[in-house]
Amino acid sequence: MTTNENKFQAIISHAKEYGFVFQSSEIYDGLSAVYDYGPYGSELKKNIRDHWWKSMTQMHENIVGIDAAIFMHPLTWKASGHVDNFSDPMIDNRDSNKRYRVDHLIEGYAATLTESQSEEILGRMDRLLAAEDFSGLKLLIEEHKIKCGVSNTCNWTDVRQFNLMFSTQVGSIAEESDTIYLRPETAQGIFVNFLNVQKTARQKIPFGIAQTGKAFRNEIVARQFIFRMREFEQMEMQFFVRPGTQMEWYDYWKKARLEWHLSFGISRDKYRYHDHVKLAHYADAALDIEYEFPFGFKEVEGIHSRTDFDLKNHQLLSGKKQQYFDNELNQNYIPYVVETSIGLDRMFLLILSESYEEETLTKEDGSTDSRVVMHIPAKIAPVKLAILPLTKKDGLPDIAREIMDGCKSHFRCFYEEKDTIGKRYRRQDAVGTPFCITIDYQTKEDQTVTIRHRDSMLQERIHIDNIKSIVLDAIS
Ligand code: ATP
């Protein structure tokens, strides 16, 4: 395994082979940029979601959760600015008819240049994007003779905006039906419920509302596996603050969210902040938390200071006041909002990228062996404990089943009798199970089992009574 590209391809194959991620509708040759999660993937995804939910809601007394619908009144997206502004500048190649996001096309080209040349062209691109100077962007592409990867020509159309929202119809009779959108972000379900939540949860500013759920974007350049999907899941939290204090909270959440990422034991070097030059239509400050994926540093989470943009516009379009009465100030105001928004699927890919290792092992006799091991942090691993009787006979499965019954209501266990112990260990390494226990003939005599630690492969004998607490300590 030499290059990062190879590593990324190996991760994609591994994810399929071991039941983490499948291409959607694969038997019909798949649907582009849509994926399904398999038995291990759905467990891992759920564990990441639960961990985020707990760290946001249970660990913060002033953050509560909601679960809003995907469909919302069409005016929601007018108020939020998505109908008018949620678009990316695109350019088409006339020879191949292939459409590109302009920033991706230029970034791809910049990656082939020296560092200083790349910085120069990306700086120029950022300034043109910020100024929405589309003819300037086209000029930049032409000046550098950036070619289409398919036709290998520079025969480009003008740069145009392309809205990313999916629309559909509600109502059974075509003439009476209304166009509604599949939400492109979960945040608006939080904004329109702001007063409902504030009153029913008896919250005082500053307080937050958290939500996880599906979002949909008609991404033009859908690539890099589950990094950029058309249907994906977000974990978002809107933190409502007094106007004027938003920068303090922006700094607070910027640090707190990076800490959350590092709490998985991931090195700080793998992360960096990227401040936005071109701010989204709703923001007065924004940054990305980027992680070094096998294909480079890319955004995994956004921190946005969204001002009072959303609530103010919902007040305007709905005609309903979206104000909060601040007892301490004896004053009504529309709160300002700081948002943390992380893609669950991107976090999932981050965990796969960070965990995947092809390890070469040197045996006692000097010969070598290899294994693929997923070093998934124990607290989010799909399975926590594999219970493996050495043989199918002599009462060993009975003891193993008893251990299984004692543990399965506390954490996810996996039971298996088939194949040699070595093969069974390898399969558990490949899905990231942090602990395996083997029940053997000695177990019948002294009530001990062998526990094997995934990362170090160390094996030790422990008493059956200690199994549960060892695993619980590691995952708590
Ligand atoms: P990008 O620049 O990569 O398109 P974005 O800045 O548009 O992302 P946000 O609108 O800030 O993304 O969304 C918040 C988070 O949602 C992102 O940090 C990312 O983790 C996730 N996300 C956004 N779009 C997608 C997508 N198409 N597929 C998977 N996750 C996504």
Side-chain angles (χ1 to χ4, degrees), residues 268-279:
R268 176 66 180 82
D269 304 346
K270 300 282 271 180
Y271 283 97
R272 71 182 188 195
Y273 291 120
H274 170 79
D275 290 311
H276 286 201
V277 179
K278 180 183 188 299
L279 292 172

Side-chain angles (χ1 to χ4, degrees), residues 217 219 227-229 232 234 299-300 304 341 343 346:
R217 296 182 187 180
E219 299 280 4
F227 182 80
R228 187 173 301 286
M229 299 153 90
F232 58 101
Q234 289 185 315
E299 168 179 354
V300 62
H304 310 124
S341 174
R346 276 195 200 172

Side-chain angles (χ1 to χ4, degrees), residues 361-369:
L361 310 165
T362 310
K363 293 194 208 158
E364 273 170 19
D365 64 4
S367 62
T368 57
D369 193 3

Side-chain angles (χ1 to χ4, degrees), residues 169-216:
Q169 251 46 57
V170 280
S172 51
I173 309 165
E175 304 85 73
E176 286 177 13
S177 66
D178 259 329
T179 297
I180 57 166
Y181 297 100
L182 271 71
R183 65 182 179 194
E185 62 173 24
T186 61
Q188 296 306 323
I190 294 179
F191 288 123
V192 299
N193 277 300
F194 155 68
L195 284 177
N196 284 338
V197 175
Q198 186 264 321
K199 285 179 189 140
T200 52
R202 302 170 61 78
Q203 290 290 339
K204 279 186 169 170
I205 273 178
F207 77 96
I209 306 178
Q211 174 168 225
T212 70
K214 290 271 179 153
F216 304 83

